[in-house]
Amino acid sequence: MLIRNARVMTCDPSRPGLGIVEHASIAIDNSRIVAIGDVTATGDVIDAKGALVTPGLIDCHTHAAFAGDRANEFAMRAAGESYEAVAAAGGGINATLGPTRAAIADGSIDSILHDRLVALRAAGTTTCEVKTGYALTTEGELALLDAIVRSRAPLRRIPTLLAHLVPPERTADRAAFVAEICEQWIPRAHAATSVDVWCEQSAFTLDETVAICDSATRAGKRVRGHVGQLHDIGGADVLARFRALSVDHLELVSSAGIAALARAGTVAVMLPGACVQLRLPVPPIAELRAAGVPLAIATDLNPGSSYCESLAVQMWLATTHFQMTIEEAWLGVTRHAARALGLEATHVGMLAPGAPAELVIWTTDSPIDVCYRYGTSLVGRVLTP
Ligand code: NIG
Ligand code: FE
């Protein structure tokens, strides 16, 4: 198969900048890219008519496996309440446990997840991380993991086990709950390539985070963390000690924490939708950039802080509210997002010989437009094997 007459943004690190190749064709064989440039191939031909062709986008932080919604909380915040006040009044993550547990029990979680993943793909995402974290029982978390793995939605799914919160029925004995995560969830979570933990005043303490990361590391898994979203309790240093794949949010992080992330080679995942929606401070982008921490961008798709399937919307927020550059925005949803998922060796997130043929043909020829023109999707066509 051949895609011809394209403006190809390869995001290939062996080319300068975003690696744009003008007036190019892409030859594809057996679901892999074989050549880019002035090439021909037999089989179907797609005429891109000069449009921008990029790697399929990578959403490296989603909570897509949830049921129900929390539109009532959105309305409360619109009327001035804070995320923490709404959670303390019986909302927050705990309010999603009941609907999600019920959807696991009656099997409807499969179609709920499927529809959501189809919406992500329509927005240009061809690789999507999906966290558990809305069942918070051993069997429920493993069931969510199964649902993510067995989904037949047409995009790559990277399942993550998430220690999200101590649910209300377990707060009387937190130590027993953390022990269950370490001794039951993690050793049995075979499909999860990494383990995530929300390191936060209202979620898991530093000591609990260490115990969870320790258990994950012993099980041969990488770790990642929700860190510094509402308070900085020192999570970045701890996650860096475990060579975390990524730390995410980082609205609040110390200079020492940033230095530790840079040394560990950890990716900082920016979640501008959740930041804006919860009216949080902007993460210290300039300091992260100066320290050489790779920046990724994700939707954080979840019913509480960011009900959004579109990475293009996040790219708009990243380039406006966060003052990230156009190049940072694109690398944040391609190469750097691949690295946050431990996928860099697979060539996912770039267009180069040997990379999987997962790409987006846009309705513009300009990489700037995708960040600039928010509100209407510029996705023309999404190709996955
Ligand atoms: O990434 N920070 C923790 N988790 C989510 C919020 C989840 C929810 O409110 O349901 C986040 O913003
Ligand atoms: Fe999240």
Side-chain angles (χ1 to χ4, degrees), residues 61-63 131 162 164 196 226 249 271 300 302 305:
H61 181 141
T62 89
H63 303 257
K131 302 176 196 297
L162 171 60
H164 213 172
D196 193 341
H226 284 64
H249 291 288
L271 304 166
D300 198 12
N302 77 78
S305 61

Side-chain angles (χ1 to χ4, degrees), residues 22-347:
E22 305 285 355
H23 312 294
S25 298
I26 304 174
I28 296 166
D29 186 33
N30 219 352
S31 306
R32 298 246 151 219
I33 293 172
V34 287
I36 297 173
D38 189 9
V39 295
T40 53
T42 51
D44 295 345
V45 176
I46 296 176
D47 184 353
K49 301 195 172 112
L52 181 71
V53 175
T54 70
L57 308 184
I58 302 175
D59 196 342
C60 65
H61 181 141
T62 89
H63 303 257
F66 68 86
D69 66 54
R70 307 217 301 273
N72 59 323
E73 297 184 11
F74 181 83
M76 288 165 79
R77 281 198 306 278
E81 292 287 8
S82 71
Y83 180 82
E84 284 174 296
V86 171
I93 292 162
N94 288 334
T96 297
L97 298 180
T100 306
R101 289 170 179 171
I104 293 168
D106 69 16
S108 59
I109 191 69
D110 288 328
S111 62
I112 292 170
L113 178 61
H114 179 86
D115 292 352
R116 210 164 272 141
L117 294 177
V118 166
L120 279 155
R121 186 183 190 273
T125 296
T126 56
T127 295
C128 172
E129 187 256 17
V130 185
K131 302 176 196 297
T132 66
Y134 285 115
L136 302 181
T137 63
T138 300
E139 297 312 321
E141 289 293 306
L142 296 175
L144 285 177
L145 213 48
D146 271 355
I148 297 163
V149 171
R150 90 175 155 252
S151 164
R152 301 179 71 94
L155 74 176
R156 182 183 297 98
R157 297 164 313 281
I158 307 294
T160 299
L161 183 75
L162 171 60
H164 213 172
L165 205 72
V166 181
E169 70 275 12
R170 303 299 299 269
T171 50
D173 192 353
R174 298 177 64 92
F177 184 67
V178 173
E180 189 175 323
I181 294 172
C182 296
E183 290 158 24
Q184 295 292 325
W185 298 18
I186 293 172
R188 294 173 63 189
H190 305 295
T193 48
S194 63
V195 175
D196 193 341
V197 52
W198 190 13
C199 184
E200 177 59 57
Q201 268 178 23
S202 52
F204 291 97
T205 66
L206 273 189
D207 286 349
E208 291 166 344
T209 300
V210 168
I212 292 165
C213 289
D214 231 358
S215 162
T217 307
R218 275 186 277 113
K221 300 189 187 300
R222 299 295 299 269
V223 298
R224 37 202 324 211
H226 284 64
V227 167
Q229 184 184 21
L230 307 174
H231 305 90
D232 178 14
I233 64 168
D237 306 74
V238 167
L239 269 291
R241 222 187 300 148
F242 284 93
R243 287 189 47 254
L245 277 176
S246 76
V247 295
D248 307 40
H249 291 288
L250 290 181
E251 276 80 359
L252 301 162
V253 59
S254 67
S255 299
I258 292 174
L261 295 176
R263 280 195 303 274
T266 299
V267 177
V269 179
M270 301 290 99
L271 304 166
C275 177
V276 167
Q277 186 163 151
L278 303 191
R279 300 187 292 270
L280 304 176
V282 173
I285 302 288
E287 210 181 329
L288 288 161
R289 183 191 284 136
V293 178
L295 301 173
I297 299 165
T299 61
D300 198 12
L301 170 57
N302 77 78
S305 61
S306 181
Y307 204 148
C308 174
E309 288 90 349
S310 167
L311 276 173
V313 168
Q314 304 301 323
M315 291 166 82
W316 170 66
L317 285 166
T319 47
T320 53
H321 195 56
F322 281 19
Q323 284 185 50
M324 290 172 69
T325 65
I326 302 297
E327 184 172 320
E328 285 172 332
W330 276 103
L331 293 180
V333 298
T334 55
R335 234 166 65 207
H336 292 169
R339 179 164 164 184
L341 297 179
L343 292 176
E344 52 295 38
T346 65
H347 289 186

